Amino acid sequence: MTTITFIGAGSVEFTRDLIADVLGFPELADAQLVLHDIDDQRLAASVGTAESVARQRGVRPTITACSDRRKALEGTDFVINMIAVGGHAATTADFEIPAWYGLRQTIADTIGVGGIFRGLRTFPVLEGIARDMLEICPDAWLLNYTNPMAMNVAYLAAVAPTLKVVGLCHSVYWTVRGLCEVIGVPFDEVSYSSAGVNHQAWVLRWERDGQSLYPLLDARIAADPELRRRVRVDMYRRFGFYPTETSEHSSEYVPWYLHHDVEVERLRIAVGAYIGISEDNLAEYASTRAALQAGEALEIDRDSTEYAPQVIHSIVTGTKRTIFGNVRNTGLITNLPQDYAVEVPCAVDELGVHPMHVGALPPALAALNRAFVAPGELAVQAALTGDPKLVRNAAMLDPNTAATLTVDQIWALCNELTAAHGDLMPESLRGALVL
Amino acid sequence: MTTITFIGAGSVEFTRDLIADVLGFPELADAQLVLHDIDDQRLAASVGTAESVARQRGVRPTITACSDRRKALEGTDFVINMIAVGGHAATTADFEIPAWYGLRQTIADTIGVGGIFRGLRTFPVLEGIARDMLEICPDAWLLNYTNPMAMNVAYLAAVAPTLKVVGLCHSVYWTVRGLCEVIGVPFDEVSYSSAGVNHQAWVLRWERDGQSLYPLLDARIAADPELRRRVRVDMYRRFGFYPTETSEHSSEYVPWYLHHDVEVERLRIAVGAYIGISEDNLAEYASTRAALQAGEALEIDRDSTEYAPQVIHSIVTGTKRTIFGNVRNTGLITNLPQDYAVEVPCAVDELGVHPMHVGALPPALAALNRAFVAPGELAVQAALTGDPKLVRNAAMLDPNTAATLTVDQIWALCNELTAAHGDLMPESLRGALVL
Amino acid sequence: MTTITFIGAGSVEFTRDLIADVLGFPELADAQLVLHDIDDQRLAASVGTAESVARQRGVRPTITACSDRRKALEGTDFVINMIAVGGHAATTADFEIPAWYGLRQTIADTIGVGGIFRGLRTFPVLEGIARDMLEICPDAWLLNYTNPMAMNVAYLAAVAPTLKVVGLCHSVYWTVRGLCEVIGVPFDEVSYSSAGVNHQAWVLRWERDGQSLYPLLDARIAADPELRRRVRVDMYRRFGFYPTETSEHSSEYVPWYLHHDVEVERLRIAVGAYIGISEDNLAEYASTRAALQAGEALEIDRDSTEYAPQVIHSIVTGTKRTIFGNVRNTGLITNLPQDYAVEVPCAVDELGVHPMHVGALPPALAALNRAFVAPGELAVQAALTGDPKLVRNAAMLDPNTAATLTVDQIWALCNELTAAHGDLMPESLRGALVL
Amino acid sequence: MTTITFIGAGSVEFTRDLIADVLGFPELADAQLVLHDIDDQRLAASVGTAESVARQRGVRPTITACSDRRKALEGTDFVINMIAVGGHAATTADFEIPAWYGLRQTIADTIGVGGIFRGLRTFPVLEGIARDMLEICPDAWLLNYTNPMAMNVAYLAAVAPTLKVVGLCHSVYWTVRGLCEVIGVPFDEVSYSSAGVNHQAWVLRWERDGQSLYPLLDARIAADPELRRRVRVDMYRRFGFYPTETSEHSSEYVPWYLHHDVEVERLRIAVGAYIGISEDNLAEYASTRAALQAGEALEIDRDSTEYAPQVIHSIVTGTKRTIFGNVRNTGLITNLPQDYAVEVPCAVDELGVHPMHVGALPPALAALNRAFVAPGELAVQAALTGDPKLVRNAAMLDPNTAATLTVDQIWALCNELTAAHGDLMPESLRGALVL
């Protein structure tokens, strides 16, 4: 029997989708699902959600709530991490304080000052989970969903190098689905591969019957001026490979768009979009709770295609799959910084998750990725060494931040965000740093 | 429709097995099979063989004989290389001349003076195939079966770096099957992984339900003194991981056994075994021809499990498989020489053959592999640079040769074998080298 | 007798300084100096200059003018490259066209659109020199002074990997001299080391009697608000290590300063400074010619401290020196892109120039350097592959350009500069690229 | 004032030579010399020696005896390590037990079973020194003379990665001096470079006026049959580069000579030579003590040319020198195992010892070196992991041992030597390992 522990299970919509997928596999129908959250109300809601899903799937897993994290790890095979340290309040700070300085962000969870501070407040909790796992369930896999993905995976690789970790994200999958819709080719007929860094990986191959589908995309773009009003299309036209995140998200990873009003307008970029998403999440949580209290069945997303249930199923049953996973760069992509995280194709089978060798990315893609990696790498180093200067350097190296603010503004902004996040920050990085 | 070209198709038994497997896949039943050999009689026999197999399979592929190699490559998708340059005569020389000096060999096709000279006479032909492919069918895969595998793959990586090449060998598969038989565990219940160099890779993982099976093997070995009279078991007991070639073969890759009569006796090593195998091949070829002329159906090996048909099937259909393939070491195994060939797990799907990252081998295994790699690497360099001294250095670095002969003997032996192989040798390496 | 060939000898002031230093070494007083330039008038001026310097030094070298480059290379031991492809006109275009788009530059010869296009028009000439050398004087050293240094060294490493090349620049030396002046410590009492990329290397160690001198610098900076109005001091305060180029120059390598009026003011950045320098060079050339025609003695810069004469002297005499040279990154700095150029300490002796291993730079310095490397790496790749898209990508990845212009502006600017440089551009990169 | 601590100072002849050289430098004449040994009698002799040398040099250093190692390290700048763990008795065991099995050794301190066990008993003491240094004098340099050099340097790199360590050996220097004598060219007119592993490095360049001197050597060898009766000459003729250790020593690093009586005879190899050397050392120690007690002046070796005094002098005064030092392979030699020790040219100046980048060795030399490295690497790993199997694997991978004994003999021999060295062995590696 397979045991799966959900850390941060109170993200009930996500828990619902994952559990629905898990229980959709007959081999996992009797799984033991251990739900953990530090918020008791959310934990209760996650249990209700799991039970509701199980009923709809018509299966009888063992569902356990566990507010003690170490206990939740006992005997487990898989740990799915979905924590959001600081919650909605911290997210709001990550947007509002930079906005006050004139810095635009869209999602702010990956790089940028938002991503950097999200990383910094996540690392201590992540390290606790890793330490507990090495002690309590050293053979279990940690399947991480928490952002900033690349920073988190790199941080784990540094503090818990022997832990089995893979970071999972659906951006590659949905990117290719979307591309197929654009050109009107059925997704099922398509083969594809991608590599790079999470949220800025590149669709390196996208083929049907051995032929590249990019020429079809070119034709569509040429025919449709509105298509050209997407950040990703703009980047694709200039770099030759499609990036794997939404246009909103992609806009904040590069230095070209957000600080020009004209570009925000031209590319219809939804500045501050994530604030709304975060509020929607709160609302959806409330309605889920209401539905559970009312005894209503929760709707299952039949189109869910998250990797974690697939990875678990492959490891349990030996079914071979390829996923795009986030792992330490051990020479996998030769022209990106070693030891930071990369997102590469991984074969999954009963022996685990096996990253495939990619080699060198086309040089312009590698150069872009390296600029994307810089703030993450420095944020990780800041936490590892306890050097608060590196937090400021991380923000200075962030392409969008660097293109928008002066160095004094960046410094002040970091001091302010440090104060705002208070005790969530790693101990050595708290307090203002005055030049 | 898939086109497959067989180079050296006159190895009729092997051609028979491969074609039987290919045609066993419904999706490949209409494949175009193009057979090429430089020996017209053998080429005719291979056609007869292919037709006989097709009849037994009840399918109707297109079967073409083609004595012009460049023509045989036109429009092909896969090239299976099975050439044996010099044939039985050259093989005999590879055994008899060393034996005269007192050097024992068993198979002599991998490393050792036999392997080195087999490599040297194969490289020019291999280079010709690679050049033709890059010109005529640059997108086709070259599936190499010809030994010395690692040298050949490394040579191809040097002279045709853009060619899609994977070397295929069943030794990992049969090693694990054999291990399962020894401990009485069904092969189907077992998971395994292996990495190293072809013919000296290591069974790194061998598990059932997540538990290592090595303790069961230890128990069997402890209980059975006869088991301990195998070279592989002897190596396993001392190094902790099982090597993936037969005991005969393994004995000639290491410095410990063949030059001690007592060890040859203790471990029952069949010195010179391959001479008999080569003669059996000739006899089987004769009987196949006789059977074909008599119109008899050829027997199909229902247990054949070669990788080439599986690789073709996976690339054509997208069926995911894992094979153990030989590819250039691009950081895949970090503590073996880079750019030489390694044998690693590879995921295969419609996008091709994707080597998985292995990392560092346990240090003693890497050290053994590096000694195994040395003669191959120097033989490849000898051919690339045209430096005949490197041929002698290759032989001097061969563990078994070095442990048996004096340096003057090794030198004389290389001169003699060079003379024996005459024009089969690369042009720059012909003639004696007198110190 | 040592032969030294000066390519682009018509840069008469530089030729004067180098020859003065060369002839200041007794062991080189009888050197054969071969002067080459494609401009006959300048070539004549360089001969006059050399003769004047020799007279003042009181020595009698052999001085030859040679307008045929291949002839100038015959029998030479050292080739000093000082060419400036396109001259003042091209330099002016590199400033004026970007300025029209609103892009500020200061020197524009290293990275940035100016540096990229300077590189692109230099590569073909550089490749010609390298090919000639490999044919005519394959054992000679190429001592390169021409900018963009790192791009040029990287390009040479790609097209002529066996050529002995080192790029020489006095920026490290003068940076440390300047630092010593700031804190009032005699330069002669100081030890220092530096590594990074040319024009953005870092003073990693700066010591007297084994003690770091940075605390003295910190004290001076704290005491003097005017000191803080230097770009380099601003960067030093934030990153902890001093960069090795002037503040003007440094400002255009990073995304933070030039596009903010307030920062240009605060840091007193001389936008467009090099136009004046280039004009001064023209004026100095004119006055040198006038002086030579009038038979006046040229003034020798007694303070000249260029590396080329020192390197030649060390190789000729075996005198051990340490210089900071630009070479291919062969693992010397482990966290910068491999195979691009780096500037590292090099030991020089009669066996040549020997780069020392540096290891990993502090992570924030490496991140900054990687952003600096990106436009250069892509410009080199553009020329190697003939892909005009990579020229635009190079400009898009340039930190200052990216922070100032929109992507459409960058694209248009590249098209315009491509047109402006006409036939000086590599053939495959000419013409507009319309999206 | 410079402080130098001598660990194992009781090696009085060596202490005498080093101190004589140190005090020969005027800048070091007032050095503080701290002598440490665990043998009080030897320690007293070393003090007498030092005082005698100082008198002869006519200088007045401060000479201190210190039997407490931690105290001896207080305030020191340089630590010279010359310990010989186990002394003559252990050395004798290292020869006699293998000889009983039929294994011939000559010096037995580098690789081979002698070298492996010397390493194993040295590691714990070395680790103690390193730990003390990191605590007491973390900025001091550790100049190691103790063999097995490469193993010791690699072990230190693993257990004390931040310690400043360089291993020093005069073999390169004396090899080149000897070569110059053979061809009758003054050493002072010669330039040379070497790289590889200590005791098996290669004279890669050996030139006068830019011309290789190897052709002169070839002519001498052709003319003199007796010259060909040297192991090193035999290796040079076959590999093209001269190895840097005596012929006796070189013979035990390779698989070709010692197990053939005819080769021992042909090459006049002094089997067991080091037993005599070790006895001579004891005798010389006795005579030194007698001389000191009689108040006689000790003879100073005017020809001493050890690196340690030169390194100290360069670091103290900034005088630039090149030495051949043993350091961790951080990509310095690209085709030898990374992180093990290599011997490469190092620039020395006031900032320390700076390894130069070497790149790839010629492939046959790298292959030989890798076989040489194997036993050392496994011995180091055995101590780091506490796995006694790796000790046996180390011996099995030793070229000479592997070519001589059966695997059972090697196993038994390791058990016997383990017993013989008793408590000198690392704790985890004591006791027999029965298969």
Side-chain angles (χ1 to χ4, degrees), chain A residues 1 59 66 88 95 155 162 168 191 194 224 242 257 272 312 351:
Chain A
M1 196 197 53
V59 295
C66 192
H88 183 67
F95 272 97
Y155 188 79
T162 62
L168 302 175
S191 305
S194 163
D224 182 354
Y242 211 76
Y257 303 118
I312 294 168
L351 292 174

Side-chain angles (χ1 to χ4, degrees), chain A residues 210-241:
Chain A
Q211 299 299 311
S212 172
L213 293 168
Y214 273 137
L216 291 189
L217 181 64
D218 295 337
R220 278 289 292 124
I221 292 170
D224 182 354
E226 283 306 296
L227 259 185
R228 296 201 286 277
R229 295 184 63 192
R230 297 183 185 180
V231 168
R232 290 206 280 183
V233 170
D234 197 74
M235 288 175 67
Y236 163 66
R237 293 174 75 212
R238 297 172 199 277
F239 287 94
F241 295 87

Side-chain angles (χ1 to χ4, degrees), chain B residues 234 236-240 255-257 259-260 262-263 266 337 363-364 367-368 370-371 373-374 377-378 381 389-390 393 396-397 402-411 435, chain D residues 234 236-240 255-257 259-260 262-263 266 337 363-364 367-368 370-371 373-374 377-378 381 389-390 393 396-397 402-411 435:
Chain B
D234 196 74
Y236 163 67
R237 294 174 75 212
R238 297 174 199 276
F239 287 94
W256 306 305
Y257 304 117
H259 61 109
H260 294 296
V262 63
E263 292 296 78
R266 174 172 77 94
L368 257 177
R370 289 198 293 250
V373 162
E377 205 176 23
L378 297 182
Q381 285 298 318
K389 204 170 242 184
L390 287 173
N393 295 163
M396 290 176 75
L397 265 298
T404 309
L405 303 183
T406 66
V407 286
D408 282 330
Q409 288 173 321
I410 297 173
W411 211 266
L435 259 203
Chain D
D234 197 74
Y236 164 66
R237 294 174 76 211
R238 297 172 199 279
F239 287 94
W256 307 304
Y257 304 117
H259 61 108
H260 294 295
V262 64
E263 292 295 77
R266 174 172 78 94
L368 257 177
R370 290 198 292 250
V373 162
E377 205 176 24
L378 298 182
Q381 285 298 319
K389 204 171 241 182
L390 287 173
N393 295 163
M396 290 176 74
L397 264 297
T404 308
L405 304 181
T406 67
V407 287
D408 281 332
Q409 287 173 320
I410 298 172
W411 212 267
L435 259 205

Side-chain angles (χ1 to χ4, degrees), chain A residues 218-292:
Chain A
D218 295 337
R220 278 289 292 124
I221 292 170
D224 182 354
E226 283 306 296
L227 259 185
R228 296 201 286 277
R229 295 184 63 192
R230 297 183 185 180
V231 168
R232 290 206 280 183
V233 170
D234 197 74
M235 288 175 67
Y236 163 66
R237 293 174 75 212
R238 297 172 199 277
F239 287 94
F241 295 87
Y242 211 76
T244 59
E245 246 306 327
T246 61
S247 285
E248 281 71 33
H249 226 167
S250 288
S251 73
E252 66 183 348
Y253 306 151
V254 291
W256 307 304
Y257 303 118
L258 283 171
H259 61 108
H260 293 296
D261 295 346
V262 64
E263 292 295 79
V264 171
E265 167 65 21
R266 175 172 76 94
L267 298 163
R268 302 169 301 194
I269 304 172
V271 173
Y274 197 66
I275 292 278
I277 295 173
S278 190
E279 284 164 357
D280 290 351
N281 287 345
L282 291 182
E284 201 172 334
Y285 169 59
S287 72
T288 299
R289 282 191 67 215
L292 289 170

Side-chain angles (χ1 to χ4, degrees), chain C residues 11-57:
Chain C
S11 310
V12 287
E13 296 73 36
F14 203 41
T15 298
R16 180 195 62 203
D17 290 350
L18 292 179
I19 290 180
D21 278 13
V22 166
L23 298 181
F25 290 118
E27 298 93 337
L28 300 176
D30 66 344
Q32 171 150 355
L33 309 176
V34 183
L35 307 172
H36 167 75
D37 205 289
I38 56 172
D39 177 327
D40 285 342
Q41 195 194 64
R42 279 186 171 269
L43 180 56
S46 74
V47 171
T49 300
E51 289 169 346
S52 170
V53 168
R55 273 192 301 275
Q56 290 183 73
R57 286 288 191 207

Side-chain angles (χ1 to χ4, degrees), chain A residues 67-412:
Chain A
S67 60
D68 177 337
R69 189 175 71 199
R70 291 175 61 86
K71 224 175 143 194
L73 295 173
E74 281 171 16
T76 199
D77 301 301
F78 300 95
V79 177
I80 299 180
N81 178 41
M82 317 178 279
I83 61 171
V85 179
H88 183 67
T91 296
T92 305
D94 284 346
F95 272 97
E96 292 188 348
I97 295 173
W100 190 89
Y101 282 87
L103 180 63
R104 291 168 174 155
Q105 297 180 98
T106 52
I107 313 292
D109 69 347
T110 306
I111 62 170
V113 288
I116 291 164
F117 280 86
R118 181 175 289 265
L120 293 172
R121 63 184 188 262
T122 303
F123 297 157
V125 186
L126 215 51
E127 188 168 356
I129 295 171
R131 296 230 167 118
D132 285 351
M133 285 184 67
L134 287 174
E135 204 179 312
I136 298 166
C137 54
D139 292 329
W141 278 91
L142 175 54
L143 310 178
N144 181 65
Y145 272 104
T146 296
N147 276 321
M149 178 62 78
M151 291 190 212
N152 286 341
V153 169
Y155 188 79
L156 285 167
V159 300
T162 62
L163 195 66
K164 293 189 283 189
V165 176
V166 64
L168 302 175
C169 173
H170 53 211
S171 61
V172 175
Y173 173 82
W174 284 110
T175 294
V176 177
R177 281 208 77 117
L179 280 174
C180 290
E181 272 169 37
V182 167
I183 60 166
V185 163
F187 178 71
D188 291 349
E189 298 179 8
V190 157
S191 305
Y192 60 97
S193 193
S194 163
V197 186
N198 178 247
H199 288 186
Q200 197 186 65
W202 309 94
V203 180
L204 297 175
R205 297 178 68 181
W206 176 42
E207 303 173 0
R208 184 170 56 172
D209 299 333
Q211 299 299 311
S212 172
L213 293 168
Y214 273 137
L216 291 189
L217 181 64
D218 295 337
R220 278 289 292 124
I221 292 170
D224 182 354
E226 283 306 296
L227 259 185
R228 296 201 286 277
R229 295 184 63 192
R230 297 183 185 180
V231 168
R232 290 206 280 183
V233 170
D234 197 74
M235 288 175 67
Y236 163 66
R237 293 174 75 212
R238 297 172 199 277
F239 287 94
F241 295 87
Y242 211 76
T244 59
E245 246 306 327
T246 61
S247 285
E248 281 71 33
H249 226 167
S250 288
S251 73
E252 66 183 348
Y253 306 151
V254 291
W256 307 304
Y257 303 118
L258 283 171
H259 61 108
H260 293 296
D261 295 346
V262 64
E263 292 295 79
V264 171
E265 167 65 21
R266 175 172 76 94
L267 298 163
R268 302 169 301 194
I269 304 172
V271 173
Y274 197 66
I275 292 278
I277 295 173
S278 190
E279 284 164 357
D280 290 351
N281 287 345
L282 291 182
E284 201 172 334
Y285 169 59
S287 72
T288 299
R289 282 191 67 215
L292 289 170
Q293 281 162 350
E296 298 168 14
L298 300 179
E299 195 179 347
I300 295 181
D301 180 359
R302 300 291 165 183
D303 204 21
S304 171
T305 51
E306 292 296 341
Y307 283 144
Q310 299 176 27
V311 167
I312 294 168
H313 182 255
S314 283
I315 292 178
V316 169
T317 66
T319 307
K320 289 182 198 306
R321 284 187 178 84
T322 298
I323 63 158
F324 295 87
N326 293 276
V327 295
R328 188 163 72 94
N329 188 12
T330 55
L332 300 168
I333 301 183
T334 50
N335 53 358
L336 291 188
Q338 300 303 297
D339 295 325
Y340 195 72
V342 285
E343 188 172 87
V344 294
C346 299
V348 195
D349 60 22
E350 70 271 34
L351 292 174
V353 178
H354 314 288
M356 301 179 194
H357 180 74
V358 172
L361 292 181
L365 308 186
L368 258 177
N369 277 166
R370 289 198 293 249
F372 177 101
V373 162
E377 205 176 23
L378 297 182
V380 169
Q381 285 299 320
L384 292 175
T385 63
D387 179 355
K389 204 171 241 183
L390 287 173
V391 176
R392 281 75 187 163
N393 296 162
M396 289 177 74
L397 265 297
D398 177 63
N400 178 42
T401 307
T404 308
L405 303 182
T406 68
V407 287
D408 281 331
Q409 288 173 320
I410 298 172
W411 212 266

Side-chain angles (χ1 to χ4, degrees), chain C residues 326-339:
Chain C
N326 292 276
V327 295
R328 189 163 72 93
N329 189 12
T330 55
L332 300 168
I333 301 183
T334 51
N335 53 357
L336 291 188
Q338 300 303 296
D339 295 324

